[in-house]
Amino acid sequence: MSRGKPFESNPKLQRCSGYSEEEFRGMPFTQITHPDDVQLDWHLFTELVSGKRDQYQLEKRYYRKDGTLVWGNLTMSLVRDERGEPLFGMGMVETSPNGNGAEEALRQTQAALAHLSRVNDHGELTASITHEVNQPLAAVVTNGNACLRWLARAEPDLAEHGPLWSA
């Protein structure tokens, strides 16, 4: 096993990537994998080698030789010897000429987030308006209850509180 380095590649992968068979030979997959995809790919590969999984599939970004990115769906499996030790890995990459599903999912998620942000802003505005309206209403209710208690006394003391209104 060559530790994540291809030792053979097919002509289609060579054309798609721009690398020759000689350039691919011994090149670590991290050299052609987008940095954000390396950790997950390496984790899945080590699980494959350790026997925790039989194969894995991963949608990831690859760098072509000219530096452009291409999305691909990688299916990776191992061939093992009679003792179960890894002999070599077999990877198949299907490229996505029109981008990838993850980009569309990201766009939809961003749109949903923008909508939730607007809803949240409306909620905060509603809470603020509710607070501003409730404060004076609470004062009116409190003063009204005080007036009702004052008027319910056996004999209200009008001089003590002064006139309620001016003529």
Side-chain angles (χ1 to χ4, degrees), residues 123-135:
E124 288 177 11
L125 179 62
T126 301
S128 176
I129 291 171
T130 300
H131 175 76
E132 294 300 321
V133 169
N134 279 341
Q135 287 297 94

Side-chain angles (χ1 to χ4, degrees), residues 1 22 24 30-31 36 48 50 56 58 67 99 107 114-115 117 123 127 141 144 152 165-166:
M1 190 95 207
E22 292 76 30
F24 261 123
T30 56
Q31 186 172 332
D36 292 345
L48 183 67
S50 70
Y56 68 90
L58 175 65
R107 188 193 63 71
H115 174 72
S117 178
V141 169
W165 63 84
S166 299

Side-chain angles (χ1 to χ4, degrees), residues 45-110:
F45 183 74
T46 56
E47 283 187 352
L48 183 67
V49 172
S50 70
K52 291 182 181 175
R53 42 175 78 243
D54 295 325
Q55 59 89 28
Y56 68 90
Q57 293 180 332
L58 175 65
E59 184 175 48
K60 64 183 238 181
R61 293 162 286 185
Y62 292 92
Y63 283 111
R64 291 183 173 130
K65 188 174 181 177
D66 65 8
T68 59
L69 280 173
V70 62
W71 281 92
N73 296 310
L74 169 67
T75 301
M76 190 71 190
S77 59
L78 282 182
V79 174
R80 298 180 181 274
D81 65 15
E82 63 279 350
R83 295 184 319 271
E85 295 296 317
L87 288 173
F88 58 90
M90 290 179 22
M92 181 179 70
V93 178
E94 296 176 271
T95 59
S96 301
N98 299 325
N100 76 328
E103 287 177 349
E104 177 60 20
L106 176 62
R107 188 193 63 71
Q108 289 177 356
T109 301
Q110 287 172 332

Side-chain angles (χ1 to χ4, degrees), residues 6 21 28 30-31 40-41 86 95 127 137:
E21 185 175 7
T30 56
Q31 186 172 332
L40 177 59
D41 197 359
T95 59
L137 288 177

